Amino acid sequence: MNIINFENLDSTNLWSKSNIEKIPDKSVVLTNIQTSGYGRFKRPWLNFGEGNLFVSFVLKPSEEKKEHASLTQYTAICISKVFDELGIKHTIKWPNDVLINGKKVCGILTEATYFGGKIEGLVIGIGMNLVGTKEQLKFVKSPATSLALEGFNVERDDILEKIYNEFFKNYDSILNLGFSFIKYDYKRKSHYKFGDKITFSKDLGKKENGIFRGFDDSGALIFENKNSEIEILNCGEIV
Ligand code: BTN
């Protein structure tokens, strides 16, 4: 594993995107402290300091493929497998939050960079609360937890190595098969089960109540709205 290590960085995703041309394929950009981390919808990813995981995997695919869209959910599945191996009970909240006891412990953000209309790189950022305390987690808007708070003492570098190995074990399969490669595992680990009542917010817009009807073959969420119509949702979130 080629690690580019920092003591302090604004954001591993930002740094990776700005330096993409000099980063080799399958490198890992890691920082002890991350001062301006961000997640989906440009929400801040808070810095709970050393001991937590702030990392980006950098991929340099030769061409753009529709299967790349499944890499974030694939990463969630890789983390899920590592959690299983460590005996950590968890669920996955569509599309890519890993939860313990319903509280978020890990978030994933994939971004792409382009040069001359062609894909230059993909950056998969992973933030995991390993040692965040109750006082620190109070600053997160939605319910959040850390592995330490849930009773698991996990070394950052150990879990990173496990996630990295898991990720590259089946990397070719996910690129060839897309979401269908992980659909079974993803459904099994889903925080929401078929028929659950959910509230959905599209692009941070107004909230709608409806019913969770599973995932389609591309990993999109199937939502039955209040008029009993089926909607296939690619972005937004369950609130
Ligand atoms: C989310 O839950 O919305 C995604 C959070 C992703 C946070 C990680 S921390 C490492 C990497 N660098 C960032 O600025 N963001 C990702």
Side-chain angles (χ1 to χ4, degrees):
M1 159 159 82
N2 175 38
I3 304 193
I4 307 169
N5 214 337
F6 291 90
E7 178 53 37
N8 205 303
L9 207 59
D10 49 359
S11 148
T12 55
N13 268 36
L14 259 188
W15 190 88
S16 303
K17 287 194 295 173
S18 317
N19 294 278
I20 199 86
E21 70 292 342
K22 59 177 190 233
I23 308 178
D25 186 27
K26 302 184 180 170
S27 295
V28 164
V29 177
L30 184 65
T31 189
N32 288 346
I33 292 169
Q34 179 174 258
T35 50
S36 302
Y38 56 91
R40 293 178 80 216
F41 313 112
K42 293 274 175 264
R43 285 187 189 130
W45 183 263
L46 297 182
N47 171 40
F48 297 139
E50 229 158 307
N52 293 293
L53 181 64
F54 310 104
V55 71
S56 297
F57 291 176
V58 177
L59 308 170
K60 309 286 283 281
S62 52
E63 54 173 358
E64 188 149 37
K65 292 185 86 180
K66 68 172 187 332
E67 287 77 11
H68 289 152
S70 301
L71 279 173
T72 320
Q73 285 164 307
Y74 170 67
T75 307
I77 285 297
C78 293
I79 290 166
S80 164
K81 289 199 171 146
V82 170
F83 275 15
D84 278 346
E85 187 191 319
L86 296 172
I88 303 172
K89 272 184 113 186
H90 63 282
T91 52
I92 298 174
K93 180 177 174 234
W94 183 92
N96 49 29
D97 292 348
V98 184
L99 313 181
I100 300 180
N101 291 322
K103 290 178 268 182
K104 181 162 168 173
V105 72
C106 176
I108 304 158
L109 176 70
T110 302
E111 299 182 277
T113 65
Y114 294 86
F115 186 74
K118 274 189 67 183
I119 190 150
E120 205 183 9
L122 283 165
V123 177
I124 303 183
I126 303 168
M128 193 184 289
N129 302 328
L130 299 177
V131 294
T133 63
K134 255 200 175 112
E135 280 61 44
Q136 289 176 317
L137 291 157
K138 272 200 276 206
F139 293 99
V140 183
K141 288 210 177 78
S142 46
T145 191
S146 69
L147 288 187
L149 276 178
E150 299 297 328
F152 300 100
N153 290 315
V154 176
E155 283 292 322
R156 181 195 70 171
D157 294 354
D158 287 349
I159 199 159
L160 171 59
E161 194 180 336
K162 285 187 166 56
I163 297 169
Y164 184 90
N165 291 339
E166 188 61 50
F167 186 92
F168 286 106
K169 194 159 83 188
N170 294 310
Y171 182 53
D172 293 337
S173 305
I174 189 72
L175 289 190
N176 288 326
L177 301 169
F179 187 73
S180 62
F181 177 65
I182 53 167
K183 189 170 180 180
Y184 173 78
D185 287 330
Y186 195 84
K187 264 172 72 177
R188 214 164 45 94
K189 290 292 180 183
S190 172
H191 190 69
Y192 298 97
K193 303 294 173 210
F194 192 89
D196 279 357
K197 286 188 176 133
I198 56 172
T199 303
F200 200 88
S201 161
K202 293 178 189 164
D203 296 321
L204 297 182
K206 76 170 183 8
K207 295 175 183 151
E208 273 183 62
N209 293 325
I211 300 171
F212 173 73
R213 292 289 182 209
F215 309 105
D216 78 356
D217 287 341
S218 71
L221 186 128
I222 306 175
F223 180 70
E224 184 181 323
N225 68 22
K226 60 178 186 310
N227 304 320
S228 304
E229 295 153 352
I230 292 293
E231 297 183 39
I232 304 295
L233 303 171
N234 285 299
C235 48
E237 65 179 340
I238 305 169
V239 289

